[in-house]
Amino acid sequence: MFAKPRPKKSLLPPPSKKRKAVSAVEEVNFDFDARQDYLTGFHKRKLQRVKWAQEQAAKKAREDRIEMRKQVRQERQKEVEEHVKAVTALLEEAQAADSDNDQEFQGEDFEEWDGIKDQAQDKAQTDVLDYEDEYIDEDRYTTVKVEAISVTRDGFEKLHNDGGEANDNEDEAKAKRYAEEKAAAEKDKTRKERPKKKPKFRYESKVERQLNDRRGKAKKKARFKD
């Protein structure tokens, strides 16, 4: 019914029906070393993969630890800030309460408290103690003096000072006399115990030996004559 359309002509040249010339392979070489490495390198390559996986796992674990420490540090810093705020608020409240109390008690007079008076203590102070004891040991001589004192705010005070200087002088004289006696006894002891010196050994000279020999010979002759 309808006529077929005319086919369009292509602008390209028609393909050639001849085969392209393929360059022939001149030589094929087989690499035995590469083949040997491939066949014997399975275990080596497996160890390399395991090592690489371990390094990646360690790297990831380190990054996780760093992140965790960062979070913990931030949380602690936040807790410290909250604690500081709470303590500051408490201090402000305490200072406000103290200032109110100071204003209430300001201007009032208070009597100074001297403490509780003890009658037994007053009675004990009236009993005056004053005596001396002497203690003599092999190497020491000691005199103990007991006196009654009273306790005041200024310190310790003696109840009486009668004859104090005389007793002190007497004690010093006794101590000095005892020290002199002890020194003399030790000196005598060292003199008695001192060992006698041995005569120093000395070699005789040639002249002395000749004289001694002559004397010995003369004594022998005198004995024979007798």
Side-chain angles (χ1 to χ4, degrees):
M1 184 175 177
F2 295 99
K4 293 182 179 180
R6 185 183 296 175
K8 294 181 179 180
K9 294 181 180 180
S10 63
L11 299 175
L12 297 175
S16 62
K17 295 181 179 180
K18 294 182 179 180
R19 293 183 178 179
K20 293 181 179 180
V22 179
S23 60
V25 178
E26 296 179 358
E27 185 179 2
V28 176
N29 294 325
F30 189 78
D31 193 353
F32 291 95
D33 295 335
R35 178 177 177 274
Q36 185 70 18
D37 292 339
Y38 176 76
L39 294 176
T40 58
F42 287 102
H43 183 65
K44 183 178 179 181
R45 289 190 294 273
K46 183 178 179 181
L47 293 178
Q48 289 177 355
R49 290 194 298 271
V50 170
K51 185 177 179 181
W52 181 81
Q54 290 176 353
E55 290 177 354
Q56 294 296 324
K59 185 177 179 181
K60 187 176 180 181
R62 182 172 177 275
E63 292 176 355
D64 293 340
R65 286 197 301 271
I66 292 171
E67 187 67 22
M68 187 180 296
R69 289 176 183 173
K70 185 177 179 181
Q71 292 178 0
V72 171
R73 188 163 53 250
Q74 291 176 356
E75 291 177 358
R76 288 180 179 175
Q77 187 175 1
K78 187 177 180 181
E79 291 177 357
V80 169
E81 290 177 356
E82 292 177 355
H83 181 69
V84 169
K85 289 180 181 179
V87 172
T88 305
L90 292 174
L91 290 174
E92 290 177 355
E93 292 178 0
Q95 289 177 358
D98 292 339
S99 62
D100 295 338
N101 293 330
D102 293 338
Q103 290 177 1
E104 290 178 0
F105 292 106
Q106 189 175 7
E108 295 183 0
D109 296 332
F110 297 95
E111 294 181 358
E112 186 177 359
W113 184 64
D114 295 334
I116 301 172
K117 294 183 179 180
D118 192 358
Q119 295 179 359
Q121 185 177 1
D122 296 338
K123 185 177 180 181
Q125 290 180 358
T126 57
D127 298 335
V128 178
L129 299 175
D130 189 4
Y131 64 92
E132 293 183 1
D133 286 336
E134 294 181 359
Y135 299 94
I136 300 174
D137 197 358
E138 294 180 357
D139 298 331
R140 296 179 181 177
Y141 172 80
T142 305
T143 303
V144 179
K145 185 176 181 181
V146 181
E147 294 181 352
I149 60 173
S150 62
V151 181
T152 61
R153 292 185 179 181
D154 297 332
F156 298 102
E157 293 182 358
K158 293 182 180 180
L159 293 179
H160 62 88
N161 295 324
D162 297 337
E165 295 180 357
N167 293 329
D168 293 338
N169 295 330
E170 186 178 355
D171 294 339
E172 291 178 359
K174 288 181 180 179
K176 187 175 181 180
R177 185 169 61 256
Y178 177 76
E180 291 176 355
E181 292 177 356
K182 184 180 177 182
E186 290 180 355
K187 191 174 182 180
D188 294 338
K189 187 176 180 181
T190 52
R191 286 179 180 176
K192 292 178 181 178
E193 293 179 355
R194 185 179 297 172
K196 294 182 180 180
K197 291 184 179 180
K198 294 181 180 180
K200 189 175 181 181
F201 179 77
R202 187 175 63 84
Y203 289 100
E204 294 180 351
S205 63
K206 186 176 181 181
V207 177
E208 290 176 350
R209 287 198 301 272
Q210 291 177 357
L211 291 174
N212 290 331
D213 292 340
R214 290 176 183 175
R215 289 175 184 173
K217 290 178 181 179
K219 288 180 180 180
K220 287 181 180 180
K221 289 180 180 179
R223 288 178 184 176
F224 288 132
K225 288 180 180 180
D226 295 338

